[in-house]
Structure formats: C-alpha cells, structure tokens
C-alpha cells in the first residue's frame, strides 16, 4: 500500500518555502528554493523523488510562473484560493510565517484530499487575458469621455444635447471642431472637410454640420477659441476615438483567437448578446463545460445566495460575490441587453422580469440579480447541450 506524501509550497516574490510530509504527519524534508527556473527544477526533482501531491496558494504573478512550469511538465497540482487557504489554515495553530504556512498547506491536503485543480485549455486563458485588457481599455475610454463632456461645457455648451449619445459622435465632432466660434469662420464645405478626418460617410457629415451650426447659434462658451481648453478637448476626444478603435481590434483578436469554439456561436445566438459582449463573457467564464452543475457555475461567478440566521441577525439572503467581479459585471450587461432587445416580450426571461417588476417601486437590484442567475443557467444549458438559442 502506497503511503501518501504531500508537498506544501508557500510562494513569495523571491523564495518558495516547501515542506514534504507523509500521511502520518512526519516532516520528511523542508527548506526553501529561489523562485526561478533553477529553483523550479530543483523542486520538481524533489517532487518526483517522493512522488508527492502538490499544493500551493495562489499568489498572483509569483505563483503563476510555478503553475505554468508544472503544466509544462504535465504535473497535477492543487491551487488554493487565498481566502479559502486563510480560512482553512486558521483552524490550525496560529503561528504564521512562510515555513509554517508551507507545513499547514501540506496538512490541509492530507486532511481534505482536495481534487487537483482543473487546468483550462490555453485558448480560454488567452481569451481571459485579452478580455481583462479590453475591460481596462473600456475604463480608460469612459474616463476620457467624461473629460470630453466636462470640457464641452466650456467650449460648446449645448452641442452634446443634439448629438447621438449612443455613439461616439460627440468625440468625432470635438476632435476637429472643438469650439463653437470655429463655425463662424468656416463654410459648410470646409466643416464637412474637417469632419472627414473622423467620419467617413459624407451624408452624415453634411447632416451633422447643419445640426451643430444650429446648436452654435445659441451656444454659450466660457473660454475663448485660443484657450488651452480647446487643445485639451481635442486631445481627449481623439483619445476616445483611439481607445474605441483599440476595443474593436481587441474583440476581433479575441474572436480570431477563439477559433472554432462553439461557445461563441451559442452565446451570440442569444438576442441582445453581440460579438463583443459574448466573447468577453466567455473570456470570464472560461470552459463552461468544466462545471458539473449550473449551481457550480453560479458559485464560480459569485451569484450563489448566502443566508445569515444567527441570534437576532436574520437576512433574506445575499449573494456571496466570490469569483470574478468582472464576470458579474459582464453578465449584468448581458441580462440588461437581452431584456432591452426583446421589446415584444417573446423571450421567457423578459416576461419573467416584466412580471416581477410591473408593480415595483424603488430598487430592482434583487430582481436583476435573479435575472442574471437565470441568464447564466440558460447559457449553461445551451453550452452543455450544444444548442443555439431558439425562441419557444
């Protein structure tokens, strides 16, 4: 009968402390190696010598290098969530340092027999990396748009009200016509030529010239046309346009990187979920088929409901908010897009939402969370059954 052996590893920026124990709790070896390739190779040799199970705590970029090294060498491992690791290790003795934490991790694995961490295909991990970058660019773009809106109040007070708020029209115009006084010195043809830098369609440019000329006739300004605010506005408007183009490029790259993944076609078959939203949702959820039940997927996203019923404190339930906040945000947008797109209420999800909110006043947050959960369960069903969405 083979005796179980476990190596617990506490990973820091420079060093990795390890402890090898057997199932009787006897410490066989413990020391530290450098968090470098040579240290990894030394540790791998030790692991192969003892044929032991591997457990470590996720510590961001420091542990990801070790994790990648293990995967290259086709080694199974248990990667513990830091919050879970802290909670579990708090049940053991309180002494805390890197060496002791390595021992505690080994003891936890001996006690709980954690299953090896699921290793996602590289395509999902690359999608997630690109998706996170997309979200960062989206935040930068939102910040730039807010700056444009503030500066426009000084240079062209009422122009934002007459341009399409669902597009980047304000930035397209302000990038080349950032002050109301500019219209007084330009003919319509000259203004149309200026807008060609940011808007391709000539009919659209000519229509916009008439719209903004009308706005300029009643606009008030707070700065002269040669103010630095004008240069500042032009800069931020161009930033919005550049970031918007970068977002489109990232989505194209993600779609190309997804290759033949059927999940993309399945997600985008749901009314309201387009390419950008669908591929970003997939980037956060990863390989949906790895979840044995929809409840496990719900818990992964952090939509599972927790209750408190201790003493005099009782709650009606709240979501755990574990997992990725970005996944919850993307799922929130997906749910809202679905019910906004389904104006004739052909979709059961929309009918459910309308029924629950018809006579409601005030905060609809709990209903929306319920809708997000239903959306996630729908996605799980479609993906695990290899079905595209179809209206009943």
């Amino acid at each position: 009968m083979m005796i179980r052996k476990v190596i617990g590893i506490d990973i820091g920026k420079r060093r990795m402390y390890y402890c090898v124990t057997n199932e009787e709790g006897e410490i066989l070896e413990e020391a530290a190696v450098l968090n470098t390739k040579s240290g990894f190779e030394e540790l791998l040799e030790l692991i192969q010598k003892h044929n032991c199970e591997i457990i470590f705590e996720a510590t961001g970029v420091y542990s990801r290098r070790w994790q990648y090294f293990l995967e290259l060498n086709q080694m199974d491992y248990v990667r513990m969530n830091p919050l879970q690791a802290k909670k579990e290790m708090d049940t053991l003795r309180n002494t805390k340092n890197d060496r002791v934490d390595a021992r505690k991790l080994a003891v936890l694995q001996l006690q709980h027999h954690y299953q090896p961490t699921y290793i996602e295909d590289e395509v999902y991990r690359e999608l997630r990396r690109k998706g996170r970058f997309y979200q960062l660019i989206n935040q930068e773009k939102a910040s730039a748009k807010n700056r444009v809106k503030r500066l426009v109040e000084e240079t062209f007070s009422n122009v934002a009200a007459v341009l399409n708020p669902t597009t980047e029209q304000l930035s397209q115009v302000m990038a080349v016509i950032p002050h109301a006084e500019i219209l007084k010195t330009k003919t319509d043809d000259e203004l149309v030529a200026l807008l060609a830098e940011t808007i391709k369609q000539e009919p659209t440019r000519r229509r916009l010239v008439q719209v903004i000329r009308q706005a300029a006739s009643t606009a008030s300004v707070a700065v002269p046309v040669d103010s630095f605010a004008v240069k500042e506005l032009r800069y931020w408007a161009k930033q919005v346009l550049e970031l918007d183009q970068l977002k489109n490029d990232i989505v194209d790259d993600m779609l190309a990187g997804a290759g033949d993944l059927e999940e993309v076609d399945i997600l985008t078959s749901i009314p309201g979920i387009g390419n950008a939203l669908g591929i970003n949702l997939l980037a956060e959820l990863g390989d949906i088929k790895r979840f044995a039940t929809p409840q496990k997927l719900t818990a992964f996203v952090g939509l599972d409901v927790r209750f408190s019923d201790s003493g005099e404190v009782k709650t009606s339930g709240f979501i755990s908010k574990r997992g990725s906040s970005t996944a919850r945000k993307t799922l929130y947008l997906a749910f809202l897009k679905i019910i906004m797109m389904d104006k004739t209420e052909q979709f059961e999800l929309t009918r459910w939402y309308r029924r629950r909110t018809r006579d409601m006043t005030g905060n609809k947050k709990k209903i929306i969370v319920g809708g997000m959960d239903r959306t996630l369960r729908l996605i799980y069903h479609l993906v695990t059954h290899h079905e595209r969405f179809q209206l009943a």
Side-chain angles (χ1 to χ4, degrees), residues 341-367:
M341 181 69 68
D342 186 20
K343 298 185 184 301
T344 57
E345 297 189 14
Q346 298 180 44
F347 195 3
E348 172 57 30
L349 183 60
T350 310
R351 293 195 292 271
W352 171 85
Y353 178 75
R354 302 296 182 206
R355 283 197 307 271
R356 296 296 300 271
T357 58
R358 187 167 290 122
D359 300 320
M360 278 190 67
T361 57
N363 198 326
K364 300 178 182 178
K365 181 178 179 180
K366 287 188 177 181
I367 306 301

Side-chain angles (χ1 to χ4, degrees), residues 94-157:
N94 293 327
T95 304
K96 178 172 175 58
N97 58 49
D98 295 337
R99 192 179 299 276
V100 170
D101 283 350
R103 293 179 195 168
K104 287 182 177 181
L105 286 168
V107 170
L108 288 176
Q109 178 62 13
L110 287 168
Q111 289 179 349
H112 297 283
H113 295 261
Y114 301 118
Q115 291 299 306
T117 297
Y118 176 83
I119 301 175
E120 276 190 306
D121 191 284
E122 184 66 21
V123 64
Y124 294 105
R125 286 188 282 185
E126 279 298 299
L127 279 178
R128 185 169 297 115
R129 181 177 290 275
K130 293 171 185 176
R132 296 288 171 85
F133 184 56
Y134 176 94
Q135 298 299 334
L136 178 63
I137 295 303
N138 199 36
Q139 292 172 10
E140 294 289 331
K141 178 187 166 186
S143 178
K145 285 183 75 173
N146 287 335
R147 290 186 172 98
V148 168
K149 289 175 183 177
R150 286 197 298 269
L151 288 163
V152 161
E153 291 299 317
E154 296 187 82
T155 67
F156 207 143
S157 63

